[in-house]
């Protein structure tokens, strides 16, 4: 058997690192930051404890790089760009995003939301990790505030502080994604319409 060349070795290293990060997201989402140990991540990834340290210096580094990797892969950014270009009403944009978020929550998206919720209630989390998760949240807030204001001007959204309405809307969606979204998958459009009545005028 011929020895592997440098490109093949690099591909193997990248695949192994992704294997670890995917496992880490699951473990951090299930256990939170404080209760997660490198040994749990290694077990989930099906590798040795020591091999994790070949790719990451610490638990904190695993978490930060895993979140960055997941957000880069996450389809949400792409979808938000597409949604902003759609010639539909503000309420339809909100409805479509809600459906997208709850439909895609089987993958890394739900782990990201669960981890962020854990971190919001955890002490001694490194500041750069908190800053990253804060920026993730602000991405959604900054996208939706203009849509909510447009919806208010069109008479679709109730006349309350738009920033508070967006915060409430995103908090509830985060809670659903962090829990068990299976309930929403049957008759999803109808259930989302009921859910959105908390912010709509009809």
């Amino acid at each position: 058997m011929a020895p592997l060349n440098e490109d093949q070795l690099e591909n193997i290293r990248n695949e192994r690192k992704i294997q670890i990060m995917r496992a880490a997201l699951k473990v951090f989402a299930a256990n939170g930051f404080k209760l997660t140990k490198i040994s749990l991540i290694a077990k989930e990834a099906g590798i040795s404890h020591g091999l994790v340290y070949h790719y990451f210096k610490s638990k904190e580094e695993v978490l930060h790089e895993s979140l960055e990797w997941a957000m880069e892969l996450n389809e949400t950014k792409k979808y938000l760009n597409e949604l902003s270009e759609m010639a539909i009403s503000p309420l339809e944009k909100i409805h479509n995003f809600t459906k997208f978020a709850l439909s895609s929550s089987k993958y890394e998206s739900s782990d990201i939301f669960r981890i962020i919720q854990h971190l919001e209630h955890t002490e001694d989390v490194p500041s750069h990790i908190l800053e990253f998760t804060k920026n993730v949240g602000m991405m959604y807030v900054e996208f939706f505030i203009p849509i909510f204001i447009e919806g208010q001007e069109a008479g679709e959204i109730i006349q309350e502080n738009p920033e508070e309405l967006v915060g409430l809307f995103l908090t509830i969606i985060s809670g659903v994604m962090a829990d068990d979204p299976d309930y929403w998958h049957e008759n999803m459009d109808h259930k989302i319409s009921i859910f959105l009545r908390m912010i709509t005028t009809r």
Side-chain angles (χ1 to χ4, degrees):
M1 183 176 175
L4 297 174
N5 62 40
E6 188 56 38
D7 286 343
Q8 290 171 319
L9 289 170
E10 185 64 23
N11 286 336
I12 290 171
R13 284 193 288 266
N14 287 338
E15 287 173 9
R16 182 55 52 85
K17 188 170 184 178
I18 288 171
Q19 179 185 351
I20 295 168
M21 291 190 294
R22 185 170 278 124
L25 289 171
K26 287 184 180 180
V27 176
F28 279 114
N31 298 284
F33 177 72
K34 289 205 167 183
L35 295 180
T36 292
K37 293 180 171 54
I38 291 291
S39 58
L40 292 176
I41 296 171
K43 183 178 179 182
E44 178 66 32
I47 61 175
S48 69
H49 182 281
L51 189 56
V52 177
Y53 285 108
H54 183 71
Y55 293 88
F56 302 96
K57 295 176 183 176
S58 64
K59 177 175 78 171
E60 290 79 7
E61 187 175 284
V62 179
L63 175 57
H64 191 226
E65 288 201 32
S66 299
L67 285 172
E68 285 189 321
W69 168 77
M71 281 304 300
E72 197 60 38
L73 276 189
N74 198 327
E75 294 182 347
T76 303
K77 285 183 182 178
K78 179 183 174 185
Y79 183 76
L80 291 181
N81 289 332
E82 292 173 357
L83 192 61
S84 66
E85 300 297 323
M86 292 181 187
I88 55 178
S89 73
L91 185 55
E92 286 173 312
K93 288 181 180 180
I94 296 167
H95 184 107
N96 286 3
F97 170 79
T98 305
K99 187 172 183 178
F100 167 82
L102 297 180
S103 298
S104 65
S105 59
K106 283 292 183 186
Y107 307 102
E108 273 87 15
S109 297
S110 60
D111 289 336
I112 294 170
F113 275 93
R114 291 177 72 185
I115 291 168
I116 289 174
Q117 285 208 327
H118 279 306
L119 294 176
E120 286 177 350
H121 303 96
T122 304
E123 295 179 355
D124 301 325
V125 177
S127 58
H128 67 285
I129 294 176
L130 290 179
E131 186 67 21
F132 177 81
T133 58
K134 180 182 175 182
N135 289 339
V136 171
M138 285 307 299
M139 177 186 75
Y140 293 102
V141 171
E142 289 172 1
F143 177 82
F144 276 107
I145 284 179
I147 292 176
F148 273 61
I149 291 173
E150 186 184 346
Q152 289 176 325
E153 292 170 350
E156 293 181 334
I157 305 295
I158 58 174
Q159 295 297 322
E160 296 289 343
N161 183 310
E163 192 168 340
E164 289 183 2
L165 287 178
V166 170
L168 177 64
F169 167 70
L170 293 174
T171 297
I172 292 175
I173 288 183
S174 298
V176 172
M177 291 180 71
D179 189 28
D180 182 5
D182 286 345
Y183 162 78
W184 293 82
H185 291 170
E186 188 176 343
N187 299 321
M188 181 176 277
D189 284 312
H190 178 65
K191 287 173 181 173
I192 290 172
S193 295
I194 294 172
F195 157 55
L196 293 181
R197 285 179 190 167
M198 69 174 185
I199 61 168
T200 59
T201 56
R202 61 179 187 272

